Amino acid sequence: MESRKRKGSVAIHRARQDEPSKSTAEHETPSVQSKIRASFRPFILPLLLLFCTLFYYYGELVNWAAWNALRNEFFYGVHDVHRLLFLVPIIYAGYNARVKGAVIVTLVSFVIFLPRAFFISPFPDPLLRMVLFTVTAGLIGSLIGVIRDQADRVRKLHIVVEDERNKLLNIIDSMADGILVTGPDFEIRFMNSVMVKDFGDGIGLPCYKHLHKLDVPCEQCMIPKVINNKEIGKWACGLGDSRAYEIVAAPYIDIDGVVCQLSIFRKVAGSKNV
Amino acid sequence: MEPEWILRLVLLGMTHWILAGILLQDLANRQKVFGGRKSPWAVIILLLMPCFGSFLYLLFHPQIINPDK
């Protein structure tokens, strides 16, 4: 199954190589919507902060402007709840601009809180409550930044590993010799294109059945020796028809951690391709 | 001076200097700044009212908190 996946990924990789123009063309001409979105993006955080600030000082603004109709008890109580709204820009900054963004927006929020703590709040310990909130909010924002950083790193590493694997499989696939990866259960895990051309696609089938048309493993089978003793083996192998191969086999640890046998088939006699 | 006022000043000072440090580092690394010259921005960040210069710098360079993908 894994080998099939790998072959699939090789095929996908090749398909991507064949049509690079489409994706680059899409990349080069971003839609009008995305352009508008990109130009609006820098204003999101300042607008969020402005909204939070207006909400935080709403009671004082109403007092200052004497908008008596807009007075509401809620805006004259302890402002611990009102401060929670600032979590939105802090978390947004942590998500978007990582730890640095979260720290900057937390400090900006802290400065916004200061006038209330210094001069306005009639409630006990306004400074302490404000500092505690700021520290907690800053930690939350920074943690979100760290998590996003790690997730990005993992995604990039995954792409690099996949690219390297595809490159390696492409090299193996274009070799003149046949390559066969067989598991300890004799199941064929990978065949390069030369092997497929000569024997047909046998991934998932037992090697003795696919290569030798037998129902039991060959008497002189080298797989246990190569895998268990981790030795490099070299032997000649004749098939029922006129074909004969020189085989070099070495232990190979597959992606799932299982020790397999990697065999190189070099044709020494016979009419078929290898 | 009352201890509470000293604490307030210390907190404000700390905020100012942390913010100024981050923004000065950004200013040093930035290739293009609003107005074309970096030194006036450094003076604004450091010497204009505590935190106010930093706010101004953030207002004119919002890319810090909106980095390009």
Side-chain angles (χ1 to χ4, degrees), chain A residues 133-190:
Chain A
F133 172 80
T134 308
V135 171
T136 313
L139 281 176
I140 292 171
S142 302
L143 272 176
I144 286 168
V146 169
I147 290 167
R148 275 271 288 173
D149 261 348
Q150 292 294 326
D152 260 12
R153 203 161 154 252
V154 168
R155 193 168 46 83
K156 279 177 190 163
L157 283 174
H158 188 77
I159 290 168
V160 169
V161 168
E162 201 161 296
D163 279 354
E164 287 298 318
R165 198 179 67 181
N166 284 341
K167 203 193 289 176
L168 193 69
L169 286 173
N170 268 335
I171 292 167
I172 288 173
D173 215 35
S174 54
M175 278 175 69
D177 294 332
I179 304 285
L180 184 78
V181 175
T182 324
D185 53 356
F186 307 103
E187 186 187 300
I188 297 172
R189 291 176 166 228
F190 175 77

Side-chain angles (χ1 to χ4, degrees), chain A residues 41-42 107 110 114 118 148, chain B residues 8 12 15 18 26 66 69:
Chain A
R41 249 180 104 222
L107 290 171
F110 183 73
L114 283 176
F118 284 0
R148 275 271 288 173
Chain B
R8 287 173 183 184
L12 190 63
T15 313
I18 295 171
D26 181 81
N66 294 284
K69 295 271 170 183

Side-chain angles (χ1 to χ4, degrees), chain A:
Chain A
M1 280 297 284
E2 189 59 45
S3 312
R4 280 184 199 280
K5 276 185 203 166
R6 279 193 234 163
K7 279 182 83 78
S9 70
V10 172
I12 289 164
H13 186 70
R14 280 179 182 163
R16 279 182 190 156
Q17 280 177 340
D18 289 345
E19 43 178 280
S21 53
K22 194 182 168 188
S23 60
T24 47
E26 275 173 7
H27 213 72
E28 280 167 7
T29 54
S31 65
V32 181
Q33 267 190 339
S34 63
K35 269 185 183 173
I36 293 169
R37 224 175 283 158
S39 58
F40 181 69
R41 249 180 104 222
F43 299 105
I44 293 174
L45 257 175
L47 285 173
L48 271 173
L49 279 171
L50 182 70
F51 174 75
C52 291
T53 310
L54 288 176
F55 184 77
Y56 195 61
Y57 288 102
Y58 182 79
E60 285 70 31
L61 282 171
V62 166
N63 278 349
W64 175 73
W67 293 326
N68 293 328
L70 294 177
R71 281 183 195 281
N72 190 317
E73 200 61 33
F74 175 71
F75 293 103
Y76 298 94
V78 185
H79 270 57
D80 292 343
V81 179
H82 307 67
R83 249 195 312 269
L84 285 176
L85 199 62
F86 279 87
L87 275 173
V88 177
I90 291 170
I91 288 172
Y92 179 81
Y95 186 80
N96 242 355
R98 315 302 155 84
V99 179
K100 190 178 165 188
V103 170
I104 291 173
V105 175
T106 306
L107 290 171
V108 170
S109 306
F110 183 73
V111 177
I112 292 169
F113 300 152
L114 283 176
R116 174 172 291 282
F118 284 0
F119 309 111
I120 299 170
S121 180
F123 301 101
D125 299 323
L127 197 61
L128 180 68
R129 283 184 285 118
M130 194 244 322
V131 169
L132 283 177
F133 172 80
T134 308
V135 171
T136 313
L139 281 176
I140 292 171
S142 302
L143 272 176
I144 286 168
V146 169
I147 290 167
R148 275 271 288 173
D149 261 348
Q150 292 294 326
D152 260 12
R153 203 161 154 252
V154 168
R155 193 168 46 83
K156 279 177 190 163
L157 283 174
H158 188 77
I159 290 168
V160 169
V161 168
E162 201 161 296
D163 279 354
E164 287 298 318
R165 198 179 67 181
N166 284 341
K167 203 193 289 176
L168 193 69
L169 286 173
N170 268 335
I171 292 167
I172 288 173
D173 215 35
S174 54
M175 278 175 69
D177 294 332
I179 304 285
L180 184 78
V181 175
T182 324
D185 53 356
F186 307 103
E187 186 187 300
I188 297 172
R189 291 176 166 228
F190 175 77
M191 293 174 89
N192 73 345
S193 56
V194 178
M195 284 298 282
V196 171
K197 202 171 178 185
D198 209 45
F199 291 95
D201 192 1
I203 292 170
L205 297 174
C207 55
Y208 50 83
K209 190 166 193 175
H210 187 65
L211 303 179
H212 296 279
K213 314 289 179 214
L214 297 171
D215 292 327
V216 288
C218 316
E219 282 174 17
Q220 73 278 18
C221 181
M222 295 287 280
I223 287 180
K225 199 178 171 187
V226 169
I227 289 177
N228 296 335
N229 302 344
K230 294 191 169 58
E231 284 177 359
I232 294 173
K234 190 175 178 183
W235 68 95
C237 178
L239 293 174
D241 49 22
S242 57
R243 288 177 290 169
Y245 298 91
E246 183 185 87
I247 302 169
V248 178
Y252 156 79
I253 299 169
D254 208 356
I255 200 160
D256 54 1
V258 176
V259 183
C260 302
Q261 177 185 267
L262 175 78
S263 320
I264 301 170
F265 282 61
R266 175 159 291 174
K267 193 163 195 182
V268 288
S271 58
K272 275 207 174 175
N273 185 44
V274 177

